[in-house]
């Protein structure tokens, strides 16, 4: 029986990865690269697309490598313990803007973005795989998964809410602010990752293959539950990716950069923070909701229906800062669905790993969980890349002045840009949620 301390330790892992690094990368990176760092829209889109091709190779290899690791720390925990510091350092360097021209900035961004993706893979794939070896009790897996999501959303809440206040505290240019905050959040991410590795236990021994083989990779594509769940995972991250990637643009060009109400500053990070708080609460309620509904599959479908309905409703709302609390209310209601299905996704990956072990005779837990991480990165980054491209098509241009090194942003058609931003936050996610509902309906594992 796992202790509360261990469940908190496991939660710290996703508090670091999902609540800090991935949250900042999802919500801040498109606008950071185009409007602060100084990449062109095309470079930003290409960067994220290239990184995805990189992940297609590294994520499955990392899963297979993690499955074969043997050390005094276990199979998966050593990757967290030894990967924690590089994870934090590279994140900090990625948020630093060097005093280079267009080519130098492009090289810097591509180098450290790809290194960050590799580091994230080396830490997060083993972290997800831990769920498969900490317990064989299905109810306890749901509890660990719920703690994981609460940890991620609680830290996401803190990160997003504190961001504008920390920026004002740091002062100076936006480039300076992001560089300092990169160091601050990088230290927190490293500490959370290390704590997770030290506070958790591996109780189950993976059934290892005797030698490396490409057979587990081939077996994945014969595993129907894995295929459907991977597609669902990609879609859930498309859903979140569009919303997070475009939120900053929505405030910059539609709602106003900041809306001040007394001592409360509502900018794009605080706006999305209300959703994080809701996800934290309903992520904790997800096991009870699943028990009440009767199965993970049905619970996931109902949660996706909530996401689709309220995303569509947002599309019809006034594009006016006077209605900010109504917009926040719809974000909160949409996040009820996200909070309910997020823990279920990782618990369902554990089910798929168990199914694969029974069918094939050897464990491929790390490989299967790596597909969850790959789906996360693929969905989030491709959506971020699409946001950059679609904004470019609608009239948004950015780049670095080759003479002064300053970032330049030009809007050739403001109304077209505004309409695209609004659709990317509402209509596009609503369509994606509809696809999630269809995929979940035909997902083969019924429990």
């Amino acid at each position: 029986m796992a202790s509360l301390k261990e469940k908190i330790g496991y939660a710290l892992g996703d508090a670091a990865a999902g609540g800090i690094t991935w949250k900042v990368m999802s919500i801040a990176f498109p606008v950071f690269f185009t409007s602060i760092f100084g990449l062109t829209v095309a470079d930003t889109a290409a960067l994220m697309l290239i990184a995805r091709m990189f992940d297609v190779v590294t994520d499955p290899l990392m899963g297979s490598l993690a499955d074969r690791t043997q050390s005094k720390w276990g199979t998966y925990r050593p990757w967290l313990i030894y990967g924690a510091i590089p994870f934090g350092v590279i994140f900090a360097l990625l948020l630093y803007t060097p005093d280079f021209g267009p080519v130098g900035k492009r090289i810097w961004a591509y180098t450290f973005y790809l290194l960050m993706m590799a580091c994230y893979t080396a830490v997060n794939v083993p972290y997800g795989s831990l769920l498969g070896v900490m317990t064989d009790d299905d109810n306890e897996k749901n509890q660990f998964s719920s703690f994981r999501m609460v940890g991620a959303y609680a830290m996401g809440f803190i990160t997003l809410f504190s961001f504008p206040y920390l920026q004002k505290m740091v002062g100076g240019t936006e480039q300076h602010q992001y560089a300092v905050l990169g160091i601050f959040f990088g230290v927190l991410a490293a500490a959370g990752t290390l704590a997770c590795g030290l506070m958790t236990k591996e109780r189950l021994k993976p059934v290892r293959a005797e030698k490396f083989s490409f057979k587990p990779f081939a077996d994945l594509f014969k595993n129907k539950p894995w295929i459907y769940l991977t597609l669902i995972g990609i879609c859930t991250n498309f859903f979140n990716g569009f919303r997070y990637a475009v939120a900053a643009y929505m405030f910059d060009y539609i709602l106003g950069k900041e809306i001040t109400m007394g001592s409360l500053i509502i900018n794009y990070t605080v706006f999305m923070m209300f959703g994080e708080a809701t996800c934290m609460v309903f992520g904790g309620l997800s096991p009870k909701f699943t028990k009440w509904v009767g199965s993970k599959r049905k619970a996931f479908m109902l949660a996706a229906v909530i996401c689709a309905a309220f995303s569509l409703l947002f599309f019809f709302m006034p594009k006016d800062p006077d209605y900010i609390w109504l917009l926040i209310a719809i974000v909160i209601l949409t996040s009820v669905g996200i909070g309910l299905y997020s823990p279920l996704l990782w618990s369902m990956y554990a089910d798929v790993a168990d199914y694969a072990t029974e069918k094939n005779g050897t464990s491929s837990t790390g490989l299967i969980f790596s597909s969850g991480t790959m789906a996360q990165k693929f969905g989030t980054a491709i959506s971020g890349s699409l946001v950059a491209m679609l904004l470019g098509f609608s009239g948004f241009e950015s780049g670095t002045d080759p003479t002064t090194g300053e970032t330049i942003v030009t809007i050739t058609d403001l109304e077209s840009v505004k309409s695209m931003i609004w659709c990317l936050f509402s209509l596009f996610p609503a369509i994606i949620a509809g696809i999630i509902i269809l995929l979940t309906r035909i997902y083969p594992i019924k429990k």
Side-chain angles (χ1 to χ4, degrees):
M1 186 74 175
S3 66
L4 176 62
K5 178 183 176 182
E6 185 177 1
K7 291 172 183 174
I8 292 172
Y10 188 65
L12 288 174
D14 214 18
I20 297 176
T21 58
W22 200 255
K23 199 62 62 183
V24 173
M25 290 170 73
S26 299
I27 195 168
F29 271 25
V31 75
F32 170 73
F33 280 133
T34 58
S35 302
I36 298 169
F37 189 88
L39 291 185
T40 65
V41 169
D43 275 334
T44 301
L47 169 59
M48 294 181 175
L49 284 171
I50 290 169
R52 295 297 63 77
M53 299 306 102
F54 182 66
D55 289 335
V56 166
V57 176
T58 59
D59 282 41
L61 287 176
M62 184 65 236
S64 185
L65 179 61
D67 283 335
R68 286 163 176 77
T69 300
Q70 299 184 58
S71 76
K72 67 176 183 178
W73 298 107
T75 299
Y76 304 113
R77 291 167 62 222
W79 293 96
L80 299 171
I81 293 167
Y82 294 111
I85 292 176
F87 186 52
V89 169
I90 293 171
F91 178 73
L93 289 171
L94 187 53
L95 282 171
Y96 175 72
T97 303
D99 188 18
F100 297 157
V103 175
K105 282 187 176 180
R106 192 180 299 126
I107 292 171
W108 180 280
Y110 275 67
T111 299
F112 285 103
Y113 194 82
L114 291 173
L115 281 174
M116 185 64 203
M117 290 299 96
C119 232
Y120 190 91
T121 296
V123 166
N124 209 247
V125 168
Y127 169 72
S129 304
L130 262 178
L131 185 61
V133 295
M134 289 191 296
T135 179
D136 59 359
D137 181 82
D138 197 53
N139 185 53
E140 202 164 46
K141 285 179 183 177
N142 284 346
Q143 290 177 23
F144 269 112
S145 190
S146 183
F147 266 81
R148 170 184 184 165
M149 289 299 103
V150 171
Y153 286 126
M155 184 54 73
F157 172 89
I158 293 168
T159 301
L160 297 182
F161 182 73
S162 65
F163 208 89
Y165 298 95
L166 291 171
Q167 281 183 287
K168 289 188 181 299
M169 189 184 301
V170 171
T173 65
E174 284 190 295
Q175 291 180 345
H176 175 68
Q177 292 166 7
Y178 274 80
V180 173
L181 292 183
I183 296 170
F184 174 72
F185 285 116
V187 170
L188 286 183
T193 302
L194 181 61
C196 176
L198 296 174
M199 292 170 68
T200 50
K201 296 178 182 178
E202 297 186 22
R203 294 176 178 81
L204 308 177
K205 296 288 185 183
V207 183
R208 304 179 194 277
E210 291 184 6
K211 58 182 180 179
F212 179 81
S213 168
F214 285 101
K215 184 177 181 297
F217 295 90
D219 287 341
L220 281 181
F221 294 93
K222 300 174 186 176
N223 185 331
K224 285 186 178 180
W226 174 81
I227 293 171
Y228 284 116
L229 192 60
T230 298
L231 291 173
I232 291 168
I234 290 171
C235 286
T236 60
N237 285 288
F238 268 130
F239 180 86
N240 286 330
F242 280 121
R243 296 167 72 249
Y244 278 103
V246 83
Y249 295 102
M250 186 165 65
F251 269 77
D252 280 354
Y253 300 104
I254 299 176
L255 300 177
K257 203 168 184 68
E258 288 183 355
I259 301 171
T260 304
M261 296 183 175
S263 60
L264 178 63
I265 300 171
I266 301 178
N267 73 342
Y268 73 99
T269 63
V270 175
F271 182 73
M272 298 304 289
M273 170 274 296
F274 287 97
E276 292 296 301
T278 306
C279 289
M280 177 178 65
V281 173
F282 283 88
L285 294 174
S286 183
K288 290 185 178 179
F289 175 72
T290 303
K291 191 174 182 181
W292 174 70
V293 170
S295 75
K296 298 176 187 178
R297 178 172 159 271
K298 290 179 180 177
F300 207 105
M301 283 181 63
L302 284 175
V305 168
I306 293 170
C307 292
F310 287 107
S311 294
L312 187 60
L313 181 60
F314 194 99
F315 176 73
F316 295 101
M317 291 299 102
K319 303 179 183 71
D320 191 328
D322 290 341
Y323 291 85
I324 187 64
W325 289 111
L326 177 60
L327 300 177
I328 287 172
I330 298 174
V331 166
I332 289 171
L333 291 169
T334 305
S335 298
V336 169
I338 300 170
L340 290 172
Y341 73 53
S342 294
L344 289 173
L345 185 65
W346 295 104
S347 182
M348 289 160 76
Y349 270 114
D351 295 337
V352 171
D354 291 343
Y355 170 87
T357 300
E358 291 175 11
K359 184 177 179 181
N360 302 319
T362 57
S363 174
S364 55
T365 301
L367 181 59
I368 286 170
F369 272 91
S370 74
S371 64
T373 305
M374 185 175 69
Q376 179 186 36
K377 292 192 289 186
F378 186 89
T380 303
I382 293 295
S383 57
S385 178
L386 286 172
V387 164
M389 286 192 289
L390 291 170
L391 287 177
F393 291 146
S394 65
F396 182 96
E397 298 175 2
S398 65
T400 298
D401 188 306
T403 304
T404 65
E406 293 180 355
T407 299
I408 303 170
V409 174
T410 306
I411 305 293
T412 59
D413 188 340
L414 183 58
E415 288 307 311
S416 176
V417 168
K418 285 182 177 180
S419 296
M420 180 60 72
I421 288 169
W422 205 256
C423 287
L424 285 166
F425 193 86
S426 56
L427 195 57
F428 280 56
I431 294 168
I432 295 296
I435 296 171
I436 293 171
I437 295 166
L438 294 175
L439 288 170
T440 309
R441 185 175 177 82
I442 55 178
Y443 173 67
I445 297 178
K446 309 300 183 184
K447 69 176 182 177

